[in-house]
Short mmCIF file of all heavy atoms in Angstrom, two decimals:
data_model
loop_
_atom_site.label_atom_id
_atom_site.label_comp_id
_atom_site.label_asym_id
_atom_site.label_seq_id
_atom_site.Cartn_x
_atom_site.Cartn_y
_atom_site.Cartn_z
N ASP P 242 28.12 12.85 39.00
CA ASP P 242 27.30 14.04 38.75
C ASP P 242 25.87 13.88 39.24
O ASP P 242 25.02 14.73 38.96
CB ASP P 242 27.31 14.39 37.27
CG ASP P 242 28.60 15.09 36.86
OD1 ASP P 242 29.12 15.87 37.66
OD2 ASP P 242 29.09 14.83 35.74
N ALA P 243 25.58 12.81 39.95
CA ALA P 243 24.25 12.63 40.54
C ALA P 243 24.24 13.28 41.92
O ALA P 243 25.24 13.27 42.65
CB ALA P 243 23.92 11.15 40.66
N VAL P 244 23.10 13.85 42.30
CA VAL P 244 22.97 14.60 43.54
C VAL P 244 21.86 13.99 44.38
O VAL P 244 20.77 13.66 43.86
CB VAL P 244 22.64 16.08 43.24
CG1 VAL P 244 22.37 16.85 44.52
CG2 VAL P 244 23.80 16.73 42.46
N ALA P 245 22.11 13.83 45.69
CA ALA P 245 21.12 13.28 46.62
C ALA P 245 20.49 14.41 47.42
O ALA P 245 21.19 15.29 47.93
CB ALA P 245 21.78 12.28 47.56
N ILE P 246 19.16 14.38 47.53
CA ILE P 246 18.42 15.43 48.22
C ILE P 246 17.51 14.79 49.27
O ILE P 246 16.79 13.82 48.97
CB ILE P 246 17.60 16.28 47.23
CG1 ILE P 246 18.54 16.91 46.19
CG2 ILE P 246 16.81 17.36 47.95
CD1 ILE P 246 17.83 17.66 45.08
N ALA P 247 17.55 15.33 50.47
CA ALA P 247 16.74 14.79 51.57
C ALA P 247 15.26 15.02 51.32
O ALA P 247 14.85 16.07 50.83
CB ALA P 247 17.16 15.45 52.88
N CYS P 248 14.43 14.03 51.68
CA CYS P 248 12.99 14.12 51.54
C CYS P 248 12.33 13.90 52.90
O CYS P 248 13.01 13.62 53.89
CB CYS P 248 12.48 13.08 50.54
SG CYS P 248 13.22 13.23 48.90
N GLY P 249 11.02 13.99 52.94
CA GLY P 249 10.32 13.74 54.19
C GLY P 249 10.60 12.35 54.71
O GLY P 249 10.78 12.14 55.91
N VAL P 250 10.63 11.39 53.80
CA VAL P 250 11.03 10.02 54.12
C VAL P 250 11.97 9.56 53.02
O VAL P 250 11.61 9.55 51.85
CB VAL P 250 9.81 9.07 54.18
CG1 VAL P 250 10.28 7.64 54.47
CG2 VAL P 250 8.83 9.52 55.25
N GLY P 251 13.20 9.21 53.39
CA GLY P 251 14.17 8.74 52.41
C GLY P 251 14.90 9.87 51.69
O GLY P 251 14.82 11.05 52.08
N THR P 252 15.61 9.48 50.65
CA THR P 252 16.44 10.40 49.88
C THR P 252 16.15 10.22 48.40
O THR P 252 15.96 9.09 47.94
CB THR P 252 17.94 10.12 50.15
OG1 THR P 252 18.19 10.26 51.54
CG2 THR P 252 18.82 11.07 49.38
N LEU P 253 16.12 11.32 47.66
CA LEU P 253 15.91 11.24 46.21
C LEU P 253 17.21 11.57 45.50
O LEU P 253 17.78 12.65 45.68
CB LEU P 253 14.82 12.22 45.77
CG LEU P 253 14.36 12.04 44.32
CD1 LEU P 253 13.52 10.76 44.19
CD2 LEU P 253 13.55 13.23 43.84
N TRP P 254 17.69 10.62 44.71
CA TRP P 254 18.86 10.86 43.87
C TRP P 254 18.40 11.45 42.53
O TRP P 254 17.48 10.91 41.89
CB TRP P 254 19.63 9.57 43.62
CG TRP P 254 20.51 9.18 44.77
CD1 TRP P 254 20.18 8.39 45.82
CD2 TRP P 254 21.86 9.59 44.97
NE1 TRP P 254 21.25 8.28 46.68
CE2 TRP P 254 22.29 9.00 46.18
CE3 TRP P 254 22.75 10.39 44.25
CZ2 TRP P 254 23.58 9.19 46.68
CZ3 TRP P 254 24.03 10.58 44.74
CH2 TRP P 254 24.44 9.98 45.94
N VAL P 255 19.01 12.53 42.13
CA VAL P 255 18.65 13.22 40.89
C VAL P 255 19.83 13.14 39.92
O VAL P 255 20.93 13.58 40.25
CB VAL P 255 18.28 14.69 41.16
CG1 VAL P 255 18.01 15.43 39.85
CG2 VAL P 255 17.06 14.77 42.07
N GLY P 256 19.59 12.57 38.75
CA GLY P 256 20.66 12.42 37.76
C GLY P 256 20.81 13.61 36.83
O GLY P 256 21.92 13.93 36.39
N TYR P 257 19.70 14.28 36.53
CA TYR P 257 19.72 15.41 35.59
C TYR P 257 18.86 16.54 36.12
O TYR P 257 17.90 16.32 36.88
CB TYR P 257 19.22 14.98 34.21
CG TYR P 257 20.34 14.57 33.28
CD1 TYR P 257 21.07 13.42 33.52
CD2 TYR P 257 20.70 15.34 32.19
CE1 TYR P 257 22.12 13.04 32.68
CE2 TYR P 257 21.74 14.98 31.34
CZ TYR P 257 22.45 13.84 31.60
OH TYR P 257 23.49 13.49 30.77
N ALA P 258 19.20 17.76 35.72
CA ALA P 258 18.43 18.93 36.12
C ALA P 258 18.57 20.01 35.06
O ALA P 258 19.46 19.95 34.19
CB ALA P 258 18.90 19.45 37.48
N ALA P 259 17.70 21.00 35.15
CA ALA P 259 17.73 22.14 34.22
C ALA P 259 17.37 23.40 34.99
O ALA P 259 16.51 23.37 35.88
CB ALA P 259 16.76 21.93 33.07
#
Side-chain angles (χ1 to χ4, degrees):
D242 282 323
V244 175
I246 301 175
C248 302
V250 178
T252 301
L253 190 72
W254 280 91
V255 176
Y257 266 69

